[in-house]
Amino acid sequence: MTQIRLHNSKTRRKEEFTPLEADNVRMYLCGPTVYDRAHLGNSRNVLMFDVLYRLLRHVYGADHVTYARNFTDVDDKINTRAAESGRSISEITQETIGWYHADMDALGALRPNHEPRATAYIAEMVAMIEDLIAKGHAYAAEGHVLFAVDSFDSYGALSGRSVDDMIAGARVEVAPYKKNPMDFVLWKPSSDDLPGWDSPWGRGRPGWHIECSAMTDALFGPSFDIHGGGTDLMFPHHENEVAQSCCAHPDGQFAQIWLHNEMLQVEGKKMSKSLGNFFTIRDLLDQGIPGEVVRFVMLGTHYRKPMDWTDRKRADAEATLRKWREMTADVEPGEMSEAVIEALADDLNTAGAIAELFRLASEGDVATLKASAQMLGLLTDPLGGWDQVDTGDHGARIEALLQERAEARKAKDFARADALRDGFAAAGVIVKDTADGATWEAGPNFDPSKLDEL
């Protein structure tokens, strides 16, 4: 059996993965708060966990792996969006979940086995909070219930920070009802215009952190195998999950392995609306960039390294996938490359796995290439077809313009040759100059009307 090794954020080292139960591998990924479109950075851990899900299913069998990813559908951001738009909370969350599914499907991500919504687990959250109070780990104050950080000696172990460091480096909400500035909210009161549920502490709603602890306990029990998210969630979200879960179930260990992905950049800069380089997954798809291309680019960088999205990477990925799809068009998948499996088993080394795909392509081993690429969620039928663009009756026109460009170059009429080059680009025609002459293909943004301007 393939031995998987993963970098455990909890121990800060790479470890051999041994599931708690070989026939019941369980993993959980913190999902989105559903009030708006998912941006490109949101897809990084989804794709990372999608590859891990595929690998675990390959090693342990599809029936022995359970993957859960939640939807946070009760949150102040959702409340604000509802107040601003005049729409109902349920309408906003349902629409956003639909968007999320469509976007992640377009990237080739398999749906998890469970997609729990926070609002469906309020009773479990209330029960866990009651238990934490009874065990002396939480207290009620002014309609709130707060977790007492001082009651958990290991608080800060996951993120590697002391409580004093966390207070100094974090925006701690100062409130008179807190015994310790680091104590965090498990339950808070709701006014009549906000969502709320009856509880022993009055009508209210859960804090953010308690939902994941309640849902993993309901789905997996007090101990499970893998928990993940972005590095931005390590503190306070994941730190707080560990504290409340381990205090509620002192005989359990919660997640035995923690995986955290690094953040996304765009052209070397942090993605932000103020820099004008912020975009959603849907923005890219609507620009004609295929989901498979986005997936290829994202998997080209190891999940523990910062990911830099660039237009050059996008173009190179598209050219590579076009070539590979052409090579494997009428080929049945063969056996997977052991080198690809070994790369993925080595802490999800997707960059190494893709390097092996390039080697297989260069050697013409197309059956192995196709099978191995599909292990990464590439060259699959659901993501296919984007490279097939109907050029209609415009092929002859393009050929004539290419011949004109060749004659212009020969006559050293570089102005005309450059104008034709730019015109091809504007029309979405991809031209490649080879030793045997120029070849062309229509890109996904093919616009034949632009040819008329030439």
Side-chain angles (χ1 to χ4, degrees):
M1 178 181 288
T2 301
Q3 178 61 62
I4 299 172
R5 303 181 72 229
L6 299 169
H7 186 275
N8 191 349
S9 300
K10 181 168 66 174
T11 60
R12 294 162 183 77
R13 65 174 183 267
K14 195 183 293 186
E15 301 175 354
E16 290 189 354
F17 172 63
T18 303
L20 297 171
E21 301 173 38
D23 61 349
N24 184 25
V25 183
R26 291 155 289 173
M27 66 178 194
Y28 182 87
L29 175 64
C30 285
T33 300
V34 285
Y35 69 99
D36 207 347
R37 289 276 189 186
H39 62 71
L40 183 60
N42 297 142
S43 71
R44 193 161 194 211
N45 53 40
V46 173
L47 293 177
M48 170 186 90
F49 260 60
D50 183 63
V51 172
L52 177 58
Y53 185 39
R54 293 168 186 267
L55 177 64
L56 291 171
R57 286 159 58 99
H58 173 75
V59 173
Y60 294 98
D63 294 337
H64 302 302
V65 181
T66 306
Y67 172 24
R69 184 183 65 218
N70 73 303
F71 286 117
T72 298
D73 61 347
V74 52
D75 184 87
D76 288 344
K77 292 179 180 177
I78 302 173
N79 300 338
T80 300
R81 181 60 55 89
E84 291 173 346
S85 65
R87 302 172 69 199
S88 70
I89 287 173
S90 61
E91 184 181 1
I92 290 171
T93 57
Q94 189 64 28
E95 177 182 63
T96 307
I97 289 171
W99 289 344
Y100 189 84
H101 277 148
D103 292 347
M104 297 308 166
D105 288 352
L107 301 186
L110 301 175
R111 297 276 182 97
N113 304 96
H114 300 287
E115 294 183 290
R117 303 187 188 191
T119 53
Y121 288 80
I122 299 295
E124 288 81 356
M125 295 181 215
V126 169
M128 181 173 280
I129 294 170
E130 287 183 300
D131 183 53
L132 288 170
I133 293 175
K135 290 175 177 174
H137 296 294
Y139 58 94
E142 298 183 23
H144 295 73
V145 180
L146 296 109
F147 182 88
V149 168
D150 290 341
S151 73
F152 184 55
D153 292 338
S154 298
Y155 192 80
L158 178 64
S159 57
R161 309 180 192 183
S162 69
V163 173
D164 289 341
D165 288 341
M166 286 186 276
I167 291 175
R171 298 179 189 172
V172 177
E173 180 187 358
V174 178
Y177 47 78
K178 284 189 176 185
K179 295 179 180 179
N180 181 318
M182 288 301 297
D183 293 349
F184 57 89
V185 173
L186 301 174
W187 189 265
K188 53 189 174 183
S190 291
S191 58
D192 292 340
D193 60 332
L194 291 175
W197 291 262
D198 291 333
S199 80
W201 319 285
R203 183 177 181 275
R205 61 196 190 279
W208 174 29
H209 315 296
I210 192 68
E211 67 176 87
C212 290
S213 289
M215 288 189 285
T216 54
D217 181 49
L219 294 170
F220 295 153
S223 300
F224 59 99
D225 297 297
I226 301 169
H227 194 321
T231 55
D232 58 325
L233 295 184
M234 187 180 293
F235 177 82
H237 185 49
H238 290 164
E239 196 75 72
N240 292 350
E241 280 187 62
V242 172
Q244 61 204 12
S245 294
C246 289
C247 288
H249 302 289
D251 295 331
Q253 65 180 63
F254 197 44
Q256 69 162 339
I257 288 184
W258 286 85
L259 301 180
H260 289 94
N261 63 280
E262 269 295 347
M263 297 295 100
L264 175 81
Q265 298 177 327
V266 176
E267 302 290 350
K269 297 180 180 179
K270 181 180 178 180
M271 187 170 73
S272 70
K273 292 180 179 178
S274 62
L275 293 176
N277 64 352
F278 179 93
F279 44 83
T280 66
I281 298 167
R282 181 53 47 182
D283 289 334
L284 294 179
L285 297 173
D286 288 347
Q287 290 170 24
I289 299 174
E292 186 175 31
V293 171
V294 176
R295 184 183 183 95
F296 188 100
V297 174
M298 298 294 279
L299 296 183
T301 299
H302 191 273
Y303 77 90
R304 292 184 59 235
K305 295 181 180 180
M307 163 68 207
D308 189 17
W309 172 274
T310 68
D311 192 59
R312 175 62 183 271
K313 287 181 181 178
R314 190 272 316 155
D316 288 347
E318 184 169 327
T320 296
L321 288 169
R322 285 180 181 278
K323 180 180 178 181
W324 289 357
R325 280 197 169 273
E326 183 179 354
M327 291 172 63
T328 62
D330 300 314
V331 176
E332 289 296 320
E335 294 292 325
M336 276 185 278
S337 163
E338 284 300 320
V340 167
I341 300 300
E342 289 172 8
L344 296 181
D346 183 16
D347 195 29
L348 301 180
N349 183 5
T350 52
I354 288 175
E356 173 65 9
L357 298 185
F358 275 103
R359 187 189 69 79
L360 293 169
S362 68
E363 294 180 357
D365 190 351
V366 292
T368 305
L369 169 64
K370 190 167 190 176
S372 303
Q374 289 181 348
M375 182 67 185
L376 284 161
L378 302 168
L379 305 188
T380 63
D381 290 340
L383 292 183
W386 60 267
D387 56 335
Q388 305 299 317
V389 179
D390 183 9
T391 59
D393 298 326
H394 302 285
R397 172 64 172 155
I398 294 170
E399 293 287 353
L401 290 170
L402 278 176
Q403 181 62 33
E404 183 181 346
R405 189 189 65 144
E407 292 172 358
R409 284 179 167 180
K410 187 175 181 180
K412 297 185 178 181
D413 185 356
F414 299 117
R416 178 56 179 163
D418 289 347
L420 288 166
R421 176 201 63 199
D422 295 342
F424 284 133
V429 177
I430 301 169
V431 177
K432 299 178 182 178
D433 290 304
T434 70
D436 298 323
T439 63
W440 66 274
E441 59 183 327
N445 59 337
F446 178 61
D447 182 358
S449 66
K450 298 290 185 182
L451 298 174
D452 296 336
E453 301 173 8
L454 297 174

